[in-house]
Amino acid sequence: MKQEITFYLALFLQRLHYVTALVLLGLAGGLYLAFNLPAIWRAEARLVIEAAQIPGELAASTVQAGPVEILAVIRGQILTRENLLQIASRFAVYADAADLPDDQKAADMVERIVMDLPPSVTPGTSPFVQVSFDAPDPEMSAAVTNLLVDQILEQNTRLRNTVAAQTLEFFQSEVKRLDGELAAQGDKILQFQEAHKDALPTSLDYQRSRQTTLQERLSQQERELSSLRDRRARMVEIFERTGRTDILGENVSPEQRRLQQLKDELASALVIYSPDNPRVIALKARVAALEAANIRAGLGTQDTPNMSVFEFQLADIDGQIAFLIEQIGDIETEQDEVKVNIEATPGNAIRLGSLERDYENIRQQYSQATAALAEARTGAQIEAQSRGARVTVTERAVVPSKPAEPNRKLIAAAGLGAGLGAGLALFLILEFLNRSVRRASELGDRLGITPFGTVPYIATDRERRGRRWRVFAAVLGVPLLLGLAGWQLYERVPAARALFDEMIGLEPLPGALPGAAPGAGPDAAQPAPQTVPQEG
């Protein structure tokens, strides 16, 4: 194993000059890129998403979208083509490329703007939002970044207030609409109740009770009618058999006697019933009718002597029978009306129930809309006073002191690593392509023999001196060349001087920083744009 390492180390030293050349070439290329790439300045601002100042249990904002969602919408509005071109024109971002198409300008502006949004907002936390802009000039980067911050704040306030105002306007119109529908539905119910007041569910018990009362009255009237007809028939039979009607020997006519009986019944009824009772009213009507009949018949009062008793008695009974028949007809007519109302009540109940259900549904919607309107008014006030979730600035962008890109250290180290890798790759390729026999093991593998001994290569004094010089040049020449190149960069390139001073921990010399003076190197700052007042 030791012999193998010694062998390959000797081969590497033989080709050290090739490796060294590639390392120097890679380092030179890395340094060239590191100090010739244009500097990119990045000013950063920090925003914070603050939770609502008023707990949601007490009063909630009507803006239901999360702060991250709103910021995503705002980012889309900021990154519109028109807005990006306005920013580029305002700060002369492409002053050196005025002929660049607008589409390319907008696409490049999108690449320059960085707005890091948190994936989500955990309750009880206040995540930060980073906003930055890459520019060839530090002042331009800070100015554009602050403008973006102002636009974010303005758009956030406008968007939240717009959503709250639209919500309030919607519920105001909804309450007004439902109020009109509620009044119209109430009018329909009232008109229906007035049109069917005798056939409503609430009057069904009364109609049934009325139907029972009418049936009782009808039965009573029919009994009285039957009694009067029997009485008349008996009187006719007695008169035909005896020729007399006053079988009791009274001088008062039957009409007068009947009138007195009715008056007695009326007086007894008034003791028990009220004057509005149907029985009292019927008795009064019968008394009035009988008095009128007596007067028309010439009977006068009960003191008048009895004249033509039989005829007057029959006339009185016939009058009572006619009156009862008329009353029975009225009762039957009223019974028919009550029956129709009772039969129509179920259908009216269904129709009225449908109208009332519609009214109740509208009323519930109206109550919900009224409650939502109150919440919308509260939410609008919360947003108007900026008491809901909001975005505030914790740190505005300042002019950066050093460029963010390119990373010159990394580029130079990458160039050195690429050169070293290329040198090692070249060494391996040369060894792979070299098929000559250089060791006893290779001789046995090629010829299939076992050598008894090997005679090493005996170099001359000249060859040994040349080998020493090459090793010496490789060991000492590379650091010298690197030191010389570094010294030249340090003296001639201000950016390299600043980088070297930073690497070794020294304060940069005046004028060594990029942008310290016009024409100080490839990293020199561009002329600062005209100062523009910041919005809001």
Side-chain angles (χ1 to χ4, degrees):
M1 182 66 181
K2 183 177 180 181
Q3 292 179 354
E4 292 289 332
I5 295 176
T6 304
F7 173 73
Y8 284 109
L9 180 59
L11 292 179
F12 180 76
L13 292 176
Q14 289 180 5
R15 294 179 173 84
L16 183 60
H17 51 287
Y18 297 117
V19 176
T20 303
L22 290 177
V23 169
L24 292 176
L25 182 61
L27 179 61
L31 292 174
Y32 177 81
L33 290 177
F35 297 111
N36 283 276
L37 289 176
I40 298 177
W41 299 85
R42 181 177 299 145
E44 294 185 353
R46 178 177 293 185
L47 308 177
V48 64
I49 301 176
E50 295 183 355
Q53 298 181 6
I54 300 176
E57 294 80 4
L58 299 179
S61 172
T62 53
V63 181
Q64 297 300 319
V68 178
E69 298 175 359
I70 294 178
L71 288 175
V73 174
I74 293 174
R75 178 170 60 182
Q77 295 175 350
I78 290 176
L79 296 181
T80 57
R81 182 175 183 272
E82 181 180 359
N83 186 61
L84 293 176
L85 293 178
Q86 289 180 355
I87 294 175
S89 175
R90 178 176 178 178
F91 293 95
V93 178
Y94 300 100
D96 297 336
D99 55 344
L100 191 67
D102 290 342
D103 293 339
Q104 296 184 14
K105 290 181 180 180
D108 184 65
M109 288 291 291
V110 172
E111 296 294 331
R112 291 171 179 267
I113 296 175
V114 177
M115 186 175 175
D116 294 330
L117 301 180
S120 61
V121 178
T122 305
T125 62
S126 298
F128 290 92
V129 178
Q130 301 286 345
V131 181
S132 63
F133 179 76
D134 295 342
D137 181 79
E139 288 80 7
M140 180 188 298
S141 176
V144 174
T145 301
N146 287 325
L147 176 61
L148 294 175
V149 169
D150 294 338
Q151 288 186 350
I152 291 173
L153 298 178
E154 179 182 356
Q155 292 287 349
N156 179 67
T157 303
R158 183 189 62 80
L159 186 61
R160 297 185 70 90
N161 288 335
T162 300
V163 172
Q166 290 176 350
T167 304
L168 178 60
E169 181 181 357
F170 169 78
F171 282 110
Q172 285 176 341
S173 61
E174 191 70 6
V175 168
K176 183 177 180 181
R177 179 183 68 83
L178 291 174
D179 183 62
E181 292 184 2
L182 197 63
Q185 191 67 19
D187 290 339
K188 290 182 180 179
I189 294 175
L190 181 60
Q191 293 174 5
F192 183 83
Q193 289 177 341
E194 291 179 351
H196 305 85
K197 58 184 178 180
D198 294 329
L200 295 176
T202 55
S203 63
L204 181 61
D205 294 338
Y206 169 76
Q207 295 294 339
R208 288 176 176 173
S209 175
R210 182 62 178 166
Q211 188 180 39
T212 302
T213 303
L214 290 174
Q215 185 62 37
E216 292 176 354
R217 286 182 60 192
L218 180 62
S219 300
Q220 180 182 0
Q221 297 294 337
E222 288 177 347
R223 287 194 299 270
E224 291 181 1
L225 178 62
S226 178
S227 176
L228 287 174
R229 285 175 177 172
D230 291 341
R231 180 182 175 188
R232 187 179 187 281
R234 288 195 303 269
M235 287 180 65
V236 171
E237 182 181 0
I238 292 171
F239 181 78
E240 291 177 350
R241 289 171 57 187
T242 62
R244 297 177 54 193
T245 57
D246 189 8
I247 59 177
L248 298 178
E250 298 178 355
N251 294 326
V252 181
S253 67
E255 290 80 8
Q256 292 173 339
R257 187 166 50 252
R258 179 59 181 168
L259 179 61
Q260 184 61 38
Q261 291 176 355
L262 289 177
K263 289 182 178 180
D264 295 337
E265 291 180 6
L266 178 60
S268 299
L270 288 173
V271 174
I272 300 174
Y273 303 103
S274 65
D276 297 330
N277 187 272
R279 180 173 179 80
V280 174
I281 295 174
L283 289 173
K284 287 181 178 180
R286 292 172 64 183
V287 167
L290 190 55
E291 287 180 347
N294 288 340
I295 294 174
R296 287 196 301 270
L299 299 179
T301 64
Q302 64 181 11
D303 298 331
T304 303
N306 189 7
M307 296 176 62
S308 302
V309 177
F310 178 72
E311 289 81 0
F312 290 132
Q313 287 179 344
L314 289 180
D316 176 52
I317 293 174
D318 291 338
Q320 295 182 33
I321 290 174
F323 178 73
L324 288 176
I325 292 174
E326 182 181 357
Q327 282 194 333
I328 289 173
D330 294 340
I331 293 174
E332 289 177 347
T333 302
E334 189 174 356
Q335 275 186 327
D336 293 338
E337 293 177 357
V338 171
K339 182 179 179 181
V340 171
N341 291 334
I342 292 176
E343 291 177 351
T345 298
N348 292 337
I350 295 174
R351 177 58 179 164
L352 181 61
S354 177
L355 293 174
E356 290 178 345
R357 282 194 302 272
D358 293 341
Y359 180 86
E360 182 63 21
N361 292 333
I362 298 174
R363 189 193 65 78
Q364 291 180 359
Q365 295 178 14
Y366 178 80
S367 300
Q368 294 174 358
T370 304
L373 177 61
E375 294 180 359
R377 287 197 177 106
T378 303
Q381 289 296 323
I382 290 175
E383 294 301 331
Q385 299 177 12
S386 299
R387 297 299 179 87
R390 58 179 182 173
V391 179
T392 58
V393 181
T394 59
E395 183 179 354
R396 298 189 71 87
V398 296
V399 178
S401 60
K402 59 181 179 180
E405 294 181 7
N407 191 338
R408 305 187 191 278
K409 297 179 184 179
L410 182 60
I411 294 175
L416 180 61
L420 182 59
L424 294 176
L426 178 62
F427 169 72
L428 295 176
I429 292 173
L430 292 176
E431 285 303 313
F432 179 77
L433 297 176
N434 188 359
R435 312 304 297 173
S436 61
V437 177
R438 292 169 292 183
R439 292 182 295 174
S441 60
E442 295 177 356
L443 181 62
D445 293 338
R446 296 285 184 86
L447 301 179
I449 61 175
T450 302
F452 292 99
T454 58
V455 179
Y457 179 78
I458 301 174
T460 62
D461 293 340
R462 183 177 179 180
E463 290 176 343
R464 285 194 295 271
R465 287 194 299 270
R467 185 181 304 169
R468 293 191 189 99
W469 278 110
R470 285 196 298 272
V471 173
F472 179 77
V475 174
L476 297 181
V478 172
L480 289 175
L481 291 175
L482 292 176
L484 180 61
W487 178 73
Q488 290 296 324
L489 289 172
Y490 187 83
E491 291 293 332
R492 298 178 180 275
V493 181
R497 180 179 301 173
L499 178 62
F500 290 152
D501 291 340
E502 182 180 354
M503 292 174 62
I504 62 177
L506 296 178
E507 292 293 333
L509 297 175
L513 288 176
D523 294 339
Q526 301 294 330
Q530 184 178 359
T531 303
V532 180
Q534 298 297 311
E535 299 179 358

